[in-house]
Amino acid sequence: HIYWIEEIYRASRKMSRLNQGLLLLAKIENQQFNEIVKVNLTDLLNAKLADFEDVLLHKHIEIQNKLYEPFLLEMSPALAEILLNNLLNNAIRHNIAGGVIVLESGINDLRISNTGGELRGNPERLFERFKKESSDSDSIGLGLSIVKQICTSYHLKLEYTFEKPIHSIRILRAELNE
């Protein structure tokens, strides 16, 4: 009986997170995050590292910090937090034991790169809702679609590249043609 109770509880928690994720996407799409301030994503990313310290130590993931210049954006501080949380979570979840995460920033962009295995699916579909690259049963497949929606809302370009064994996600000002 305990097994089934745990399974029901796990399924219930996953449904709750799925519901929260879909509500968040709807709020972003409907521009319900009105508080806009100047956010230094570089400083915020540096500060977020402390939140992930335990899991980074547990997975033996090394951080290479190359956050040299501030990437400043006018945006909702709540969405800035969600954006960076999702990107860091993703870089950790899809990393390998003993892997590396490289954090880079300039005045026009921010890049989070991580070691990891080959992408099994089409990279074009990586930011779609419910697209899951891992078989991780805790994943609901909304993290990168939330990242994409936030970037779209603030006219930011989102790029994914893979150069074995490094996956990179880069956020940059859309007006730049690099």
Side-chain angles (χ1 to χ4, degrees), residues 21-33:
L22 290 171
L23 282 170
L24 176 61
L25 277 165
K27 284 180 177 180
I28 297 167
E29 287 170 1
N30 294 319
Q31 299 174 336
Q32 288 179 293
F33 288 86

Side-chain angles (χ1 to χ4, degrees), residues 73-106:
L73 292 174
E74 298 275 334
M75 68 183 300
S76 156
L79 290 181
E81 291 255 348
I82 291 166
L83 176 76
L84 296 180
N85 270 339
N86 285 0
L87 289 173
L88 275 174
N89 257 324
N90 206 58
I92 293 167
R93 175 177 278 149
H94 298 289
N95 214 314
I96 55 175
V100 175
I101 294 176
V102 182
L103 307 174
E104 300 169 274
S105 72

Side-chain angles (χ1 to χ4, degrees), residues 38-42 70-74 106-107 173:
K38 186 170 280 199
V39 177
N40 183 332
L41 283 184
T42 305
F71 184 43
L72 302 169
L73 292 174
E74 298 275 334
I107 56 169
R173 298 182 201 285

Side-chain angles (χ1 to χ4, degrees), residues 144-156:
L144 288 179
S145 63
I146 290 170
V147 166
K148 182 177 182 6
Q149 190 63 53
I150 292 170
C151 287
T152 299
S153 294
Y154 292 102
H155 309 290
L156 297 167

Side-chain angles (χ1 to χ4, degrees), residues 16-140:
S16 174
R17 284 198 341 274
L18 180 62
N19 189 37
Q20 288 172 341
L22 290 171
L23 282 170
L24 176 61
L25 277 165
K27 284 180 177 180
I28 297 167
E29 287 170 1
N30 294 319
Q31 299 174 336
Q32 288 179 293
F33 288 86
N34 299 328
E35 184 192 359
I36 305 294
V37 298
K38 186 170 280 199
V39 177
N40 183 332
L41 283 184
T42 305
D43 285 351
L44 187 56
L45 185 54
N46 249 326
K48 289 245 145 272
L49 288 176
D51 297 344
F52 291 92
E53 193 173 347
D54 289 343
V55 72
L56 291 167
L57 283 170
H58 177 72
K59 287 188 83 171
H60 305 288
I61 296 173
E62 174 196 343
I63 295 289
Q64 292 180 4
N65 193 324
K66 299 178 180 178
L67 298 173
Y68 299 135
E69 295 179 282
F71 184 43
L72 302 169
L73 292 174
E74 298 275 334
M75 68 183 300
S76 156
L79 290 181
E81 291 255 348
I82 291 166
L83 176 76
L84 296 180
N85 270 339
N86 285 0
L87 289 173
L88 275 174
N89 257 324
N90 206 58
I92 293 167
R93 175 177 278 149
H94 298 289
N95 214 314
I96 55 175
V100 175
I101 294 176
V102 182
L103 307 174
E104 300 169 274
S105 72
I107 56 169
N108 290 311
D109 68 334
L110 184 80
R111 183 190 313 257
I112 297 179
S113 306
N114 62 279
T115 45
E118 291 270 353
L119 193 64
R120 289 190 302 273
N122 179 350
E124 300 290 313
R125 301 192 62 206
L126 207 54
F127 299 99
E128 290 180 8
R129 289 180 191 188
F130 308 116
K131 177 72 181 107
K132 289 170 53 168
E133 183 58 25
S134 75
S135 56
D136 182 353
S137 63
D138 270 354
S139 173
I140 55 173

